[in-house]
Amino acid sequence: MARGVALTSDPRTPMTSDLDDPANAATPRPGEMPPDVVVAVSADERARGQLLPETERAAYAAFRSHGCLLLRGVFPATLVDAMYRDYVARYGAMDARGMREQALKPSPNPFIARSEARYQITPRMSGAFGQPGVFANSLLCRFLAPLFSGDMQLSSFTLVVSHPGAPLQPVHRDHGHLFVEPEVGLNLPVHAVNVVVPLIDTDLETGPTGVWPGSQQWPESVQPQPDTLTACPIERGDCMLLDYRTLHSGLPNRGGRARPILYMVYARSWFFDDVNHFGIRSLDMTVEDCRALPESVRPVMIRAMSQAMRAQADERIARARGPDHSPNDPSSWGKVGRNDPCPCGSGRKYKQCHGRSGSA
């Protein structure tokens, strides 16, 4: 029997998925997402910055059941278009080769290669990317806050660019279950949510994010069946919410243009993602811009302020150490305290970065 072939309606299997097999050149066409996953936001709801009670109930029920939710029309198209223009001005001249060369540069580096022809960028949160209507969107934050019992911070703000020819991304969760014991880990509430915001209209050819609904409650040993992948086009103004434990995959980009998507991760205050952001900044906003934010926005931006202050301290330390100091050469750092900012410029403490055993 061929590996990964479904014998029943169960969308999972304890065997390895064919989607992770490099020999499997044919990518299965995604199926339709469950209809209740897609919730339309009305113009009145967007203007009020809050979903109507019946819309809200339907959205919460879908997210808790499937671990994913597509909210259509959350952001004004004009705001998304402004972010796309900002993206083009900063990075539009780079093709896949240019981003690959940038990603090969030493840390600190805002570029990371995530897979073939697919790159993650931590952009400076200024210009259109620095608008509170993006990362502190009233409707979005009001919906998310109860999922975290009000304990919510912006944890990361990154772009992922899929260039033409990018293949199917390996199946993955953004983070595994917090506890390996099924009777514990599978019953916990959400600890982080990834909010996916396309900067261009993304059809199935351009490659949206494909998901396995309900997989946030599957044990780590269970892999998805390839023919149960679901996806749908995502338009400018839409956003997809993914429980951090939900299995998903970026679909191949068979189109003729790069596909930039903004990923905003919101998390409980005690959760830090050292899997995806070890040794790198996940938020890039200056101290001055953080302080200029409206008072109502600052609680969700505490982590951004913290990283900005650490980066500012790193710059002062680097100037004090003189020209012989190099953030890329640990031998030039001299003695570094375990609780001091890491001289590499990551924004983390030395003991959590290059001070880890075997890291320097």
Side-chain angles (χ1 to χ4, degrees):
M1 190 68 66
R3 210 162 31 89
V5 175
L7 298 178
T8 70
S9 59
D10 192 342
R12 50 191 183 167
T13 172
M15 297 176 285
T16 303
S17 168
D18 277 345
L19 290 172
D20 287 330
D21 188 347
N24 183 25
T27 302
R29 298 294 296 180
E32 293 185 2
M33 301 186 78
D36 59 326
V37 165
V38 182
V39 174
V41 176
S42 70
D44 180 62
E45 289 172 318
R46 185 168 61 246
R48 292 172 58 243
Q50 188 169 11
L51 298 175
L52 293 172
E54 57 270 27
T55 310
E56 190 174 71
R57 284 193 295 270
Y60 281 134
F63 183 77
R64 291 188 171 113
S65 174
H66 301 297
C68 59
L69 174 69
L70 178 58
L71 290 174
R72 290 211 180 275
V74 171
F75 298 96
T78 53
L79 179 58
V80 179
D81 290 342
M83 286 194 289
Y84 180 69
R85 289 192 298 270
D86 211 341
Y87 159 79
V88 171
R90 300 186 195 190
Y91 315 112
M94 294 186 189
D95 59 8
R97 175 178 293 182
M99 288 195 179
R100 181 171 65 250
E101 292 174 352
Q102 185 66 38
L104 290 173
K105 294 181 179 180
S107 178
N109 186 352
F111 285 77
I112 300 175
R114 284 302 182 195
S115 58
E116 183 182 346
R118 198 181 303 265
Y119 298 90
Q120 176 182 298
I121 309 169
T122 303
R124 171 61 59 87
M125 294 176 69
S126 59
F129 291 120
Q131 294 298 312
V134 177
F135 51 82
N137 178 276
S138 296
L139 188 149
L140 179 63
C141 288
R142 282 176 176 166
F143 179 80
L144 287 173
L147 295 174
F148 298 105
S149 301
D151 179 23
M152 181 182 80
Q153 296 177 4
L154 183 66
S155 177
S156 67
F157 187 96
T158 61
L159 297 167
V160 173
V161 184
S162 171
H163 290 274
L168 181 75
Q169 191 180 27
V171 182
H172 64 286
R173 307 176 196 268
D174 285 321
H175 196 279
H177 293 290
L178 296 180
F179 295 88
V180 296
E181 297 85 358
E183 67 276 10
V184 178
L186 302 185
N187 296 308
L188 292 176
V190 65
H191 58 271
V193 173
N194 199 346
V195 178
V196 182
V197 183
L199 302 190
I200 62 172
D201 292 340
T202 304
D203 58 21
L204 296 181
E205 290 300 302
T206 313
T209 300
V211 301
W212 281 266
S215 57
Q216 82 280 8
Q217 296 178 329
W218 297 356
E220 297 284 356
S221 59
V222 171
Q223 292 292 326
Q225 295 279 6
D227 57 356
T228 56
L229 171 68
T230 67
C232 68
I234 309 179
E235 300 174 354
R236 293 161 23 258
D238 298 346
C239 68
M240 176 180 284
L241 280 59
L242 292 174
D243 186 311
Y244 230 41
R245 302 162 292 185
T246 300
L247 287 163
H248 60 283
S249 174
L251 296 183
N253 186 348
R254 298 189 177 97
R257 64 189 298 199
R259 182 230 63 187
I261 288 181
L262 172 65
Y263 287 85
M264 300 186 292
V265 175
Y266 298 83
R268 295 181 187 268
S269 60
W270 46 261
F271 176 74
F272 289 82
D273 185 358
D274 281 336
V275 173
N276 294 299
H277 301 290
F278 175 69
I280 60 172
R281 290 185 69 174
S282 61
L283 297 156
D284 186 3
M285 178 177 276
T286 67
V287 170
E288 293 74 22
D289 285 344
C290 284
R291 288 175 174 157
L293 291 171
E295 195 71 33
S296 60
V297 172
R298 293 181 185 179
V300 80
M301 296 297 290
I302 289 175
R303 203 166 298 191
M305 183 63 168
S306 175
Q307 290 195 23
M309 293 179 71
R310 288 181 182 177
Q312 191 177 72
D314 291 343
E315 292 174 3
R316 287 198 299 266
I317 292 170
R319 287 195 297 268
R321 283 174 174 160
D324 293 335
H325 171 81
S326 170
N328 305 318
D329 180 10
S331 66
S332 71
W333 296 350
K335 186 176 180 180
V336 183
R338 284 175 49 76
N339 289 310
D340 289 345
C342 187
C344 76
S346 67
R348 302 193 65 77
K349 291 183 179 180
Y350 179 67
K351 67 182 181 182
Q352 296 171 332
C353 193
H354 280 78
R356 286 186 174 185
S357 178
S359 295

